[in-house]
Amino acid sequence: MDYNEDAVDDATLALMFLTLTHGETATWKGYDWETTQRLHEKGFLENPRTRNKSIGITEEGVARCKKLFIEMFGSS
């Protein structure tokens, strides 16, 4: 199925806001592998290829996930 990968990446990044851990430096790893790899390539996540249950999230990734979460799910 064809889909807008950028839109999926943004939605995934927004949902990662809910699972920020370790002082907002990581997020849980239960997201689609291809999506987390794309987010890594875009500079929002550290390398997702680890045995850890979480993925490091960059400062830019934290800022973007908060912004997207508020845009998509914030109440007016």
Side-chain angles (χ1 to χ4, degrees):
M1 172 177 68
D2 291 330
Y3 60 92
N4 182 333
E5 290 179 349
D6 288 330
V8 170
D9 293 352
D10 282 351
T12 301
L13 200 56
L15 290 172
M16 286 180 175
F17 178 75
L18 295 174
T19 60
L20 289 177
T21 62
H22 306 291
E24 296 189 346
T25 61
T27 185
W28 292 111
K29 203 175 192 175
Y31 299 96
D32 174 67
W33 164 252
E34 290 179 11
T35 304
T36 57
Q37 186 61 35
R38 285 193 307 271
L39 290 170
H40 169 63
E41 291 167 2
K42 292 177 179 180
F44 298 123
L45 299 179
E46 294 178 6
N47 188 354
R49 293 184 183 195
T50 67
R51 293 184 181 217
N52 299 338
K53 292 183 180 181
S54 61
I55 304 170
I57 188 166
T58 65
E59 287 183 38
E60 184 181 3
V62 170
R64 182 129 174 97
C65 80
K66 285 181 179 180
K67 178 183 179 290
L68 289 168
F69 185 85
I70 291 167
E71 286 176 8
M72 292 180 182
F73 306 112
S75 61
S76 324

